[in-house]
Amino acid sequence: MTDKTRVLIFDTTLRDGEQSPGATMTHEEKLEIAQMLDEMGVDIIEAGFPIASEGDFRAVSEIAKQAQNATICGLARANYKDIDRCWEAVKHARSPRIHTFIGTSPLHRAIPNLDMDQMAERIHDTVTHARNLCDNVQWSPMDATRTEHDYLCRVVEIAIKAGATTINIPDTVGYTAPRESADLIRMLIEKVPGADEIIFATHCHNDLGMATANALAAVEGGARQIECTINGLGERAGNTALEEVVMAIKVRGDIMPFHTSVDTTKIMNISRRVATVSGFPVQFNKAIVGKNAFAHESGIHQDGMLKNAETFEIMRPTDIGLSETSLVMGKHSGRAALRAKLKELGFELAENQLNDAFVRFKDLADRKKEVYDDDLIALVRQNDAAEDRLKLKHLKVVCGTDGPQTADMVIEIDGQDRTIHATGDGPVDASFNAVKQAFPHKARLQLYQVHAVTEGTDAQATVSVRLEEDGRIATGQSADTDTVVASVKAYVNALNRLLVRREKSAPGDDVKSVNYKDAG
Ligand code: KIV
Ligand code: ZN
């Protein structure tokens, strides 16, 4: 790379992000997110871990085939079988990359029971093998920030000599701090022969809340690739958030003279989509993409904003794809207005999807005085599909201070209506019990979350439900002005997705059952 100010953006939402417990996405969702990443100008997409499951392999292969711009990368442990499988998946891409790794810190070396020399040999052999398959090879010493510096220099040199074109320095446990992060990259560039021939990458976890700062510091130290995820999704406290590093570089070009190729106006849309499909909502005060990130409520702030937006805003909402005005829609708004509004929010719907959304919009507008942007987003995101095996048709709950609460439900199962009466500890519990009676299953409820989309007692509730069965996880979501109805629809949505997974995979197939720490 000749442009020394260019920072490559490596997105690992579909690998490190999807690997975080409960964030599992369906095949179609992975393809959709990959396409959005490709269109927004991300340089490298880590599409999955092909050896982990048939599902991962299929997703990486298809993403490789569909990508128009980005390099498509797959993850592989330090063994030939993983690397071969990875190559089989990424080889379809216009620009494929194999990413292979091994844990190099004392704690990680102990797991495969390799001494320093044996590990060095393994690195040489596996990187050479990967490079014989693919011209573009990334190598990572996992837990690099807790690896002895001498040994880190030694193994990085071996990987470069064996043909690695990118060396990624992971802060696997989120342990480092900004100055140390910069110094580590600087030290490697200074000491390792051949370091100026390759690109150094930084991969930070957020356990101490420093992932963004550490990644930017690494760039100051000489790294030219940042590994990150949308919304900071990822194992434990997550990874560096793509939107944070990209916007920090854009806004503070005065002190960070770098640039990326990301079209920042696409940030908000992909953030919302990732939140929906992963079932991990974005915290309200999250930098850049949180609901409140551009909200000004105090009188002083509002006054200042009206006089000059720069008084309290360092970037414009439009920079990340938020519309400047929040045009309120109501029951008199027509189809054309809905289409225009949805387009402004980043949704280009096909005619049949628009018709469907319009019916739901009219229904909502009848129940709710004003329909805000967030209501429309929730409405479009309702993901009932024609092929769903279970469909809620009718629900009546009785609740109050003198229990038990009851639910009377009509639910269609494989085309047949079933009428159920159930009781429970509250209306939601009674309704979920009704679904279980109608369609017995052993899936466990892992998460039940309710959010008010807007203010007011007529606000829609969006509900997320996560179910787990035999290691397969599925998330369902729904929105309605009636919280219990939204809850049951979200539960049924999750169940439908679980059934699809049950049909497509053997037990455990979807699970990240491969041990990441296992180098062998
Ligand atoms: O955090 C980490 O070390 C990783 C590696 C697999 C690169 O995700
Ligand atoms: Zn990681």
Side-chain angles (χ1 to χ4, degrees):
M1 206 168 62
T2 47
D3 181 358
K4 297 278 180 232
T5 62
R6 168 90 186 271
V7 176
L8 299 173
I9 297 296
F10 175 109
D11 182 278
T12 183
T13 307
L14 297 172
R15 199 278 297 168
D16 214 325
E18 211 251 352
Q19 191 181 313
S20 76
T24 315
M25 299 172 200
T26 65
H27 182 71
E28 288 69 28
E29 287 163 351
K30 288 182 192 172
L31 298 197
E32 184 191 344
I33 299 295
Q35 187 172 345
M36 291 174 98
L37 290 167
D38 196 24
E39 284 171 1
M40 80 189 286
V42 159
D43 299 283
I44 305 113
I45 299 172
E46 188 163 53
F49 186 18
I51 197 95
S53 72
E54 268 309 314
D56 260 48
F57 180 82
R58 215 160 51 86
V60 179
S61 314
E62 286 189 34
I63 290 169
K65 287 178 198 155
Q66 87 173 10
Q68 296 297 312
N69 313 303
T71 293
I72 302 302
C73 173
L75 185 68
R77 292 167 302 177
N79 67 68
Y80 292 175
K81 206 167 151 220
D82 272 43
I83 293 170
D84 290 345
R85 189 80 176 140
C86 179
W87 173 240
E88 281 307 307
V90 297
K91 70 178 182 195
H92 309 283
R94 292 174 173 203
S95 166
R97 175 181 291 190
I98 296 174
H99 176 193
T100 178
F101 74 99
I102 195 165
T104 51
S105 66
L107 283 166
H108 283 267
R109 289 199 301 267
I111 297 169
N113 200 16
L114 297 175
D115 65 25
M116 284 180 162
D117 292 336
Q118 288 166 327
M119 181 165 285
E121 195 180 324
R122 171 81 70 97
I123 293 163
H124 171 268
D125 293 350
T126 49
V127 175
T128 306
H129 184 70
R131 189 55 210 264
N132 284 337
L133 297 169
C134 182
D135 284 348
N136 189 338
V137 173
Q138 170 166 328
W139 179 72
S140 296
M142 187 162 68
D143 207 13
T145 53
R146 293 192 301 167
T147 300
E148 305 89 328
H149 284 190
D150 284 352
Y151 190 59
L152 190 61
C153 288
R154 178 177 163 199
V155 288
V156 166
E157 184 179 347
I158 289 171
I160 295 174
K161 286 208 173 113
T165 43
T166 300
I167 300 288
N168 175 39
I169 301 299
D171 183 29
T172 305
V173 290
Y175 179 71
T176 198
R179 194 178 318 137
E180 191 180 62
S181 175
D183 287 347
L184 187 60
I185 301 285
R186 215 171 271 128
M187 183 276 292
L188 288 166
I189 292 176
E190 269 166 28
K191 290 203 173 154
V192 176
D196 47 352
E197 303 292 317
I198 55 99
I199 288 185
F200 276 96
T202 175
H203 175 111
C204 303
H205 280 266
N206 204 29
D207 299 64
L208 292 172
M210 292 191 278
T212 295
N214 289 337
L216 293 170
V219 170
E220 304 249 325
R224 286 295 176 271
Q225 176 180 302
I226 297 180
E227 306 211 352
C228 46
T229 58
I230 302 293
N231 299 339
L233 199 66
E235 292 247 56
R236 307 182 308 280
N239 290 64
T240 300
L242 179 146
E243 62 277 8
E244 292 178 15
V245 283
V246 167
M247 288 310 290
I249 289 173
K250 185 176 165 111
V251 173
R252 296 309 312 272
D254 55 332
I255 53 163
M256 291 183 273
F258 306 109
H259 65 102
T260 73
S261 59
V262 171
D263 175 356
T264 63
T265 63
K266 299 211 182 319
I267 284 179
M268 203 56 220
N269 207 18
I270 192 165
S271 160
R272 288 175 176 144
R273 194 66 193 128
V274 167
T276 303
V277 301
S278 65
F280 278 53
V282 174
Q283 84 195 46
F284 280 13
N285 58 344
K286 161 89 179 58
I288 318 292
V289 291
K291 195 174 157 65
N292 288 356
F294 290 91
H296 300 274
E297 216 161 70
S298 88
I300 299 174
H301 282 219
Q302 284 184 347
D303 188 44
M305 283 294 296
L306 289 173
K307 289 185 179 122
N308 178 355
E310 281 180 27
T311 322
F312 286 104
E313 255 178 20
I314 55 168
M315 52 200 156
R316 303 295 303 144
T318 45
D319 292 343
I320 59 155
L322 274 172
S323 57
E324 196 98 50
T325 56
S326 187
L327 176 69
V328 179
M329 306 273 291
K331 66 176 174 187
H332 300 298
S333 310
R335 192 185 302 260
L338 180 67
R339 185 200 296 276
K341 185 73 200 175
L342 290 176
K343 189 159 183 234
E344 192 185 305
L345 293 172
F347 299 100
E348 301 251 16
L349 301 191
E351 207 53 38
N352 61 336
Q353 290 171 313
L354 182 72
N355 291 343
D356 192 40
F358 190 63
V359 172
R360 282 187 275 156
F361 161 68
K362 282 288 174 188
D363 177 48
L364 180 63
D366 272 343
R367 288 181 285 141
K368 198 170 181 294
K369 277 198 299 292
E370 288 163 327
V371 180
Y372 296 96
D373 289 1
D374 287 342
D375 287 318
L376 292 175
I377 292 163
L379 183 139
V380 175
R381 293 279 156 77
Q382 304 242 25
N383 33 17
D384 312 325
E387 61 277 13
D388 282 350
R389 289 182 58 191
L390 278 70
K391 289 178 185 144
L392 177 70
K393 294 187 89 175
H394 165 87
L395 176 68
K396 189 173 181 106
V397 292
V398 177
C399 51
T401 47
D402 312 313
Q405 285 74 24
T406 60
D408 287 286
M409 179 182 288
V410 180
I411 186 163
E412 185 187 307
I413 302 172
D414 296 328
Q416 302 273 312
D417 282 357
R418 290 216 49 196
T419 305
I420 299 288
H421 172 83
T423 56
D425 203 359
V428 174
D429 191 46
S431 307
F432 285 10
N433 286 343
V435 178
K436 282 181 217 153
Q437 273 182 41
F439 187 81
H441 56 273
K442 54 184 176 61
R444 263 185 342 102
L445 182 69
Q446 275 198 336
L447 171 106
Y448 169 65
Q449 223 165 38
V450 184
H451 283 290
V453 175
T454 55
E455 281 83 42
T457 48
D458 68 346
Q460 283 199 96
T462 48
V463 178
S464 301
V465 163
R466 194 188 305 145
L467 296 176
E468 186 268 338
E469 183 194 68
D470 289 336
R472 298 183 198 91
I473 293 172
T475 306
Q477 281 178 340
S478 194
D480 200 284
T481 47
D482 185 318
T483 309
V484 184
V485 171
S487 303
V488 178
K489 284 188 175 167
Y491 190 93
V492 168
N493 183 227
L495 206 50
N496 278 317
R497 287 161 158 243
L498 206 54
L499 295 175
V500 172
R501 271 168 209 201
R502 218 196 248 174
E503 280 160 19
K504 282 193 181 157
S505 62
D509 181 46
D510 241 11
V511 192
K512 297 285 175 273
S513 49
V514 171
N515 182 358
Y516 273 72
K517 316 289 182 276
D518 171 18

